């Protein structure tokens, strides 16, 4: 994702890879809690991609031109292929993808239901915000993962970046009518608020996943560190919105 | 597409390839009417794939399980990639994909609007019928095309065949409740009726395309031959429906 700012670098790629990050899946997954956390993570990401596919395909109907519709359909198809790669990995590690996804279905469905765009521009902002937050989250989490799972997550991440299309269209709309910016800024804040609220529900529900997100099983669970991760992602979001002309 | 019957063999692959079928695009497209017909064809197929993507993605929402939803989303993503290949070809021959698709948007949108499935099984039957008819039509038309365009059309065709998923699910539903069969048989007839009615509108509107469909520019326009092609496709459809337990 070529965004103005990344929420974090990818420390796992640096020299400091230690602990879980220095292990492969075969070694790391011998620890049942780590294994459960990764299955949770892959299930959550997979359902997230499937839900994103559905919403982008739905929002494509709001497109003012055929070319715009095709661009949103392209983003949707890309999300579907992420979904496929994530579920293939679940199957490869002998987990049933549906069972792994089910615990996250409600939070993601609720998020999308509560943030159904009312027009094309809201749909574009949502596509861009969603793509960017997903990208930031993938980067954050990659650092906590064994080398095999990290490769998968980073390869899915590499394939995103369709959001630039949305950026151009939104910028042009704000230039044409500056009042549009105020409305979309409010909308972007609502998106982020809903995303955080659903994410916090998931964190509260899924112990193994949350523990892993804050630094691996060995280091114990630290809710404050999850909070800091959310806060880094929110900051990156705010900077991106400002760059887009949507002052927070 | 592995269907019980193909509407026709692919004579262009046999020894009898002559006329346009024996030429490549560079040669064949020197004839302006042939070129216009192929641009029409690619535009119609491309919009058809994009519309199919949208409808399948929409129908995925009716899925009773996560696994079913993923299968329909997979079909939708496959349609999107057909769309991409067809529009890439249009661009490669210096045609604007949007301009090529526009003349066919209304007929295809009308078809989908008039055949919005009211439940999951109707959606599956529609996906299967649509996939099969598209496959039959691609085969019919391939025989009339220059070698380069034919390769493209056949390669898009090779990539279909997701309809078997729909077949299994529909068969199981009819076995579980035979009355479902009567309702779905009516539905399948309605789908075919609407498809033919929209196709005839397109044929009446687009001279170059229609002329090509009946055997190439040199042989002149013969509406009766278009009728025979539709009739072959309808017969194949009827046989497939019978095999599915949906007696016509």
């Amino acid at each position: 994702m070529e965004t103005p700012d990344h929420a974090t670098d990818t420390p796992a790629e640096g020299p400091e890879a230690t602990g879980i990050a220095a292990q492969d899946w075969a070694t790391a997954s011998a620890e049942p809690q780590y294994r459960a956390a990764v299955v949770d993570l892959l299930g959550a990401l997979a359902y997230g991609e499937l839900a994103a596919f559905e919403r982008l395909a739905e929002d494509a109907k709001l497109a003012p031109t055929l070319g715009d519709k095709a661009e949103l359909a392209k983003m949707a198809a890309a999300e579907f292929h992420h979904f496929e790669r994530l579920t293939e990995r679940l199957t490869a590690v002998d987990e049933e993808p549906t069972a792994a996804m089910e615990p996250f279905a409600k939070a993601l469905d609720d998020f999308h239901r509560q943030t159904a765009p009312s027009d094309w521009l809201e749909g574009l902002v949502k596509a861009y915000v969603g793509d960017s937050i997903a990208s930031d989250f993938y980067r954050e989490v990659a650092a906590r993962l064994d080398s095999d799972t990290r490769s998968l997550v980073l390869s899915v991440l590499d394939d995103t970046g369709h959001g630039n299309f949305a950026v151009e269209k939104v910028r042009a709309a704000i230039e044409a009518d500056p009042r549009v910016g105020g409305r979309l800024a409010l909308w972007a804040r609502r998106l982020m608020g809903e995303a955080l609220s659903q994410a916090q529900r998931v964190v509260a529900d899924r112990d193994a996943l949350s523990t892993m997100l804050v630094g691996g099983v060995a280091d114990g669970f630290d809710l404050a560190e999850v909070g800091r991760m959310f806060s880094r992602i929110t900051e990156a979001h705010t900077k991106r919105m400002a760059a887009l002309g949507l002052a927070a």
Side-chain angles (χ1 to χ4, degrees), chain A:
Chain A
M1 177 75 224
E2 294 166 48
T3 52
D5 290 272
H6 295 308
T8 176
D9 290 320
T10 47
E13 299 299 280
E16 70 267 50
T18 53
I20 290 282
Q23 297 173 20
D24 64 8
W25 169 252
T27 311
S29 63
E31 166 66 59
Q33 210 189 345
Y34 178 75
R35 184 188 171 88
V38 170
V39 170
D40 257 16
L41 176 71
L42 296 179
L45 296 181
Y47 194 84
E49 299 285 2
L50 185 60
F53 161 84
E54 275 196 290
R55 298 309 309 195
L56 287 168
E58 170 99 12
D59 296 348
K61 283 193 284 186
L62 301 167
T65 70
L66 245 169
D68 289 334
K69 177 179 292 201
E71 281 294 336
L72 223 57
K74 185 178 189 162
M75 291 177 74
E79 306 288 7
F80 179 76
H81 295 300
H82 300 165
F83 164 78
E84 274 190 323
R85 275 195 268 169
L86 293 161
T87 52
E88 278 162 13
R89 175 61 60 100
L90 281 163
T91 304
V93 300
D94 297 320
E95 296 286 339
E96 218 287 291
T98 302
M101 289 189 280
E102 218 98 60
F104 306 98
K106 186 168 175 359
L108 282 152
D109 288 347
D110 283 353
F111 169 74
H112 284 298
R113 194 166 33 244
Q114 278 154 21
T115 59
S118 67
D119 65 14
W120 169 242
L121 287 173
E122 287 190 5
L124 281 185
V125 169
K126 181 171 171 181
Y128 175 59
V129 166
D131 201 36
S132 306
I133 294 179
S135 165
D136 287 345
F137 178 73
Y138 279 38
R139 265 175 219 284
E140 285 271 351
V141 85
R144 328 275 190 193
L145 296 170
D146 66 273
S147 56
D148 294 313
T149 309
R150 185 168 65 245
S151 300
L152 171 68
V153 165
L154 291 176
S155 79
V156 168
L157 173 64
D158 267 352
D159 189 36
T160 62
H162 305 286
N164 292 332
F165 158 77
V167 169
E168 282 168 34
K169 295 281 170 176
V170 171
R171 276 220 182 96
I174 296 173
E175 267 168 43
D177 177 3
R179 287 167 307 174
V180 165
R183 176 166 70 83
L184 293 180
L186 279 175
W187 170 245
R189 277 209 292 285
R190 220 186 103 206
L191 289 174
M192 195 63 190
E194 281 295 335
L196 285 176
S197 129
Q198 297 302 335
Q200 273 154 2
R201 241 172 73 184
V202 168
V203 165
D205 276 1
R206 309 296 296 180
D207 269 4
L209 178 59
S210 309
T211 303
M212 185 188 68
L213 290 182
V214 299
V217 185
D219 304 336
F221 181 74
D222 178 359
L223 196 58
E225 177 51 29
V226 175
R228 283 190 289 274
M229 182 180 86
F230 284 159
S231 147
R232 285 191 295 275
I233 292 179
T234 306
E235 269 171 48
H237 164 78
T238 306
K239 281 189 198 162
R240 269 192 305 263
M241 291 303 103
L244 190 52
L246 303 181

